[in-house]
Amino acid sequence: MAHVRREREALLFLGLLALLPRVHLLGLGKPFWPDEDWTLEAGFMSLGSLLWRTATEDFHPPLGYLILGLWGRFLALFGVENEVPLRLLPVLVGASVPLLLYRSLREGGVPLPYALFGSLAYALIPQGIVQDVEFRMYPLAAFWVALSLWGSLGGKPRMWAWGTLLALWTHYLAGVVAFSLGLRFGNAKILLWPVAGFLPWVPFALLQMTKVNEVAHWNGTPGERLVEVGQLLGSVAEPVLLVLGLGYWTLGLLGLLGRQNLLPVVLAVGLLFLLGFQPVSPRYLPPLLPLLAYGAALFASRLGPIGYLLLFWPLAWAYLLPWAVVAYWKTYWPTF
């Protein structure tokens, strides 16, 4: 009973810490920026119009728009149409990802303090908070990746398959990450489950690929993006942000070394490079953040008692919460 109580207390603690900064940003009432307006408009279309528009004018699958559109339609039944309640669903979904991560880590054999560390790292990372308070598909994408990770680590192929299928229909990068997590099963039949469920959308995905540079007109060549990576790192004005950000990636990647879990990172970043997207842009990386949190927890667990000191690491993100507020406003007001 004491064990069960500790687990419940840890989940409650995580849930509250994840909700607090997200609710704070939600309460600012920032107007929708163009991508959120597009999401709302697409979500209110008929199913046929939504499928065709995403296939010809976007580079994402349709499920995220469909789910958020259903949420918007539900609120509209009560005459609710402003930004705060519309963003409430992404906030709740995003705040639940650390809970899935914690369960994944525990079922994967990670001791409680280190599982708490990895989950807290995700719950409080500023960019994750910012993305979770937007009316976009990114919180859903991270949720499906975390669900797939739980299925993979817990030896639950059906859970992994459902998480991967939903990830594929929500965000291609999330789908790649989730699918590669299933390689640990070593069973081709299991891997075919989500693939079969995604086949109806494959022709439209191929059509999107032919138009990606037309739709994402800001794209460049892989070489240009490689140069931008160095420029991005050199342009960070806040040293603490750079140290904590690079530290998070370093801990995550070190924890994933020597395991199949490193493959999703390679595939995801490689896919972004290939398509001409900025591979380390915070805008495109939320689906990787749960996996990095898992890697960071693994690395901490290998340090033994010294790893307990890393529990203070996520709390350092609190220093950067004002930056999260600024970043949140910049999507709507770029000169902020």
Side-chain angles (χ1 to χ4, degrees):
M1 289 299 294
H3 169 73
V4 173
R5 186 172 64 252
R6 283 197 302 272
E7 296 292 329
R8 289 176 177 172
E9 289 172 350
L11 288 171
L12 179 62
F13 175 66
L14 278 172
L16 288 175
L17 275 184
L19 272 174
L20 284 174
R22 288 164 175 81
V23 169
H24 172 65
L25 288 190
L26 179 66
L28 296 178
K30 185 191 77 171
F32 274 0
W33 67 296
D35 280 17
E36 290 178 293
D37 285 326
W38 203 98
T39 299
L40 184 62
E41 180 184 348
F44 272 78
M45 292 178 176
S46 66
L47 182 59
S49 298
L50 169 62
L51 294 177
W52 182 247
R53 185 168 185 182
T54 51
T56 58
E57 299 181 32
D58 197 24
F59 46 84
H60 294 298
L63 183 60
Y65 298 115
L66 180 62
I67 293 174
L68 293 171
L70 290 173
W71 173 245
R73 291 172 187 267
F74 171 74
L75 293 177
L77 293 175
F78 305 94
V80 178
E81 298 179 351
N82 67 34
E83 292 88 349
V84 171
L86 284 169
R87 289 184 178 124
L88 182 59
L89 178 62
V91 164
L92 294 176
V93 171
S96 65
V97 172
L99 308 184
L100 293 184
L101 276 173
Y102 179 80
R103 292 304 310 151
S104 303
L105 290 164
R106 294 295 284 139
E107 292 201 17
V110 177
L112 189 149
Y114 309 115
L116 199 59
F117 160 66
S119 305
L120 278 175
Y122 181 90
L124 298 177
I125 188 170
Q127 190 56 42
I129 295 170
V130 170
Q131 296 281 33
D132 288 347
V133 194
E134 289 188 352
F135 192 69
R136 298 281 285 145
M137 80 289 291
Y138 293 107
L140 288 165
F143 184 91
W144 304 138
V145 169
L147 186 66
S148 298
L149 180 63
W150 187 0
S152 176
L153 295 179
K156 302 173 181 178
R158 290 186 183 275
M159 179 186 290
W160 167 82
W162 275 109
T164 300
L165 178 60
L166 293 167
L168 285 167
W169 278 92
T170 301
H171 190 282
Y172 294 124
L173 194 61
V176 169
V177 172
F179 181 81
S180 57
L181 289 171
L183 296 176
R184 66 170 56 241
F185 290 118
N187 188 324
K189 290 183 179 179
I190 294 175
L191 295 177
L192 286 175
W193 293 349
V195 172
F198 186 64
L199 280 178
W201 184 252
V202 169
F204 300 103
L206 295 175
L207 176 62
Q208 286 178 319
M209 287 187 66
T210 65
K211 295 176 173 287
V212 66
N213 289 324
E214 176 184 334
V215 175
H217 53 81
W218 58 89
N219 270 15
T221 65
E224 291 170 341
R225 291 314 189 195
L226 186 61
V227 172
E228 287 178 5
V229 171
Q231 293 175 341
L232 179 66
L233 295 176
S235 66
V236 178
E238 177 55 70
V240 176
L241 177 61
L242 185 62
V243 170
L244 289 176
L246 287 177
Y248 183 60
W249 272 83
T250 301
L251 291 175
L253 293 175
L254 286 175
L256 297 174
L257 281 176
R259 293 170 176 262
Q260 284 183 325
N261 295 319
L262 190 58
L263 180 62
V265 179
V266 175
L267 289 176
V269 174
L271 181 63
L272 287 173
F273 258 123
L274 182 65
L275 295 177
F277 290 97
Q278 171 54 268
V280 296
S281 168
R283 175 61 52 188
Y284 304 123
L285 287 180
L288 272 180
L289 294 180
L291 195 62
L292 288 173
Y294 165 55
L298 282 180
F299 181 77
S301 68
R302 295 171 189 161
L303 298 178
I306 298 176
Y308 291 169
L309 297 175
L310 290 176
L311 282 169
F312 294 98
W313 182 284
L315 300 180
W317 290 126
Y319 175 83
L320 296 172
L321 287 180
W323 173 89
V325 174
V326 172
Y328 184 56
W329 276 104
K330 280 178 72 68
T331 53
Y332 174 77
W333 189 7
T335 58
F336 184 76

